[in-house]
Amino acid sequence: MKLIRFGLPGEEKPGVVTANGMFDVSAFGEDYGEKFFETNGLERLSRWWAQNGAQCPQVPVGVRLGAPLQRPSKIICIGLNYADHARETGAQIPAEPIVFFKSTSALAGPNDNLVIPRNSEKTDWEVELAVVIGKKASYVEEKDALDYVAGYCLHNDYSERAFQIERGGQWVKGKSCDTFAPLGPWIATKDEISNIDNLRLWLTVNGKTMQDGNTSNFIFRVPFLVSYLSQFMTLLPGDVISTGTPAGVGLGMNPQVYIKEGDVIELGIDGLGTSKQTAVAYK
């Protein structure tokens, strides 16, 4: 299945995407949050859809899409998980995953505007594969890790590099500004993705290709990341793990290039759709 949420910010309704379009499943009676995933919601929704899908209304064309899940308990990000990205930023290949958090208040819809933060001069882009946790995970073995995954989605891990690198402390300061975590358009369940280790991911700025990578170049793969993180914290249903970005970020260019007001950033991953954000100044 492909899960979407649509409508005005704070008023999103649940939907699904099929070959015939997008459909409103509000009549199912649940939104896509921690309780939904915790109570086997994907299977229940699938059964309900089989019986009731023919009566579901189509989602109006042009309606806003929100993030495809309710605000999770945490957004966990993995830094420098592609060797080419590590090299372009002058960093060593990590021996263990670099882990940082992104504030859940950064969550945005896939096509919402990117708001360049106040006093920002180094806002950057990062196309990433995001993993959505499907059930509570603690001390999970790597061989069992995918049993705890609900699905996957597209994420742009926006970063303010001066806040992140030049202001001291942890990376979270440069990762958590409002609108810095557009997710979606949809969550694709595991059965929708034939090989998570061979997905093209790309990003353009004003039509110019900046990133063009493949998840085959992961340093740490999804099962390892789920297992690894579960040794340090309990992963809750609906939690998001963002798995890192390939080469091509503005920080790694010579000279460096950063987002300015009016820029249009488009990105996509095989099977996970595309998104587009227009940069606007903070007001």
Side-chain angles (χ1 to χ4, degrees), residues 14-282:
V16 298
V17 180
T18 75
N20 296 317
M22 299 189 297
F23 294 88
D24 182 342
V25 296
S26 300
F28 177 65
E30 298 178 41
D31 201 353
Y32 305 141
E34 181 177 343
K35 184 177 180 182
F36 169 82
F37 292 108
E38 186 176 34
T39 57
N40 206 22
L42 289 174
E43 184 176 324
R44 292 187 293 105
L45 176 60
S46 181
R47 291 197 302 265
W48 182 90
W49 173 258
Q51 297 175 353
N52 300 279
Q55 286 75 50
C56 290
Q58 281 200 289
V59 174
V61 174
V63 73
R64 172 188 175 268
L65 294 180
L69 75 171
Q70 288 180 309
R71 185 178 295 178
S73 82
K74 46 192 172 290
I75 301 172
I76 312 162
C77 298
I78 307 300
L80 305 177
N81 198 27
Y82 291 75
D84 56 358
H85 176 52
R87 285 193 297 269
E88 74 172 347
T89 59
Q92 291 186 331
I93 304 299
E96 292 193 36
I98 295 171
V99 180
F100 60 92
F101 286 94
K102 196 174 186 85
S103 173
T104 58
S105 59
L107 202 65
N111 304 310
D112 289 350
N113 287 341
L114 163 70
V115 178
I116 299 174
R118 180 186 290 175
N119 301 319
S120 167
E121 295 181 354
K122 296 184 178 181
T123 295
D124 204 351
W125 56 83
E126 296 189 26
V127 58
E128 303 200 4
L129 169 73
V131 178
V132 179
I133 296 298
K135 60 182 180 180
K136 188 175 179 180
S138 181
Y139 299 109
V140 170
E141 297 292 332
E142 186 175 349
K143 64 181 177 60
D144 301 321
L146 290 184
D147 293 341
Y148 293 82
V149 171
Y152 307 99
C153 61
L154 174 64
H155 176 217
N156 196 341
D157 175 25
Y158 281 113
S159 310
E160 211 301 336
R161 301 302 190 186
F163 298 176
Q164 176 189 355
I165 299 168
E166 301 170 21
R167 300 285 294 274
Q170 298 181 338
W171 287 5
V172 65
K173 290 190 299 188
K175 299 285 187 170
S176 295
C177 303
D178 290 353
T179 73
F180 268 30
L183 280 181
W186 56 68
I187 297 170
T189 52
K190 287 181 294 184
D191 57 294
E192 295 275 350
I193 305 297
S194 59
N195 185 0
I196 198 65
D197 292 322
N198 186 24
L199 299 178
R200 178 178 177 245
L201 60 172
W202 57 269
L203 181 144
T204 66
V205 178
N206 301 326
K208 180 181 178 181
T209 297
M210 299 297 191
Q211 294 184 275
D212 193 349
N214 194 288
T215 57
S216 61
N217 294 318
F218 275 149
I219 297 170
F220 304 107
R221 303 197 181 282
V222 171
F224 177 84
L225 291 173
V226 173
S227 173
Y228 181 86
L229 292 170
S230 78
Q231 311 304 309
F232 302 102
M233 66 192 82
T234 296
L235 305 174
L236 296 179
D239 279 357
V240 174
I241 303 170
S242 200
T243 58
T245 198
V249 300
L251 174 67
M253 296 180 179
N254 186 16
Q256 294 175 344
V257 177
Y258 293 111
I259 295 168
K260 60 185 183 300
E261 185 176 10
D263 284 349
V264 177
I265 301 94
E266 297 185 72
L267 57 153
I269 301 179
D270 291 346
L272 299 178
T274 64
S275 67
K276 179 169 77 172
Q277 298 92 47
T278 299
V280 299
Y282 175 87

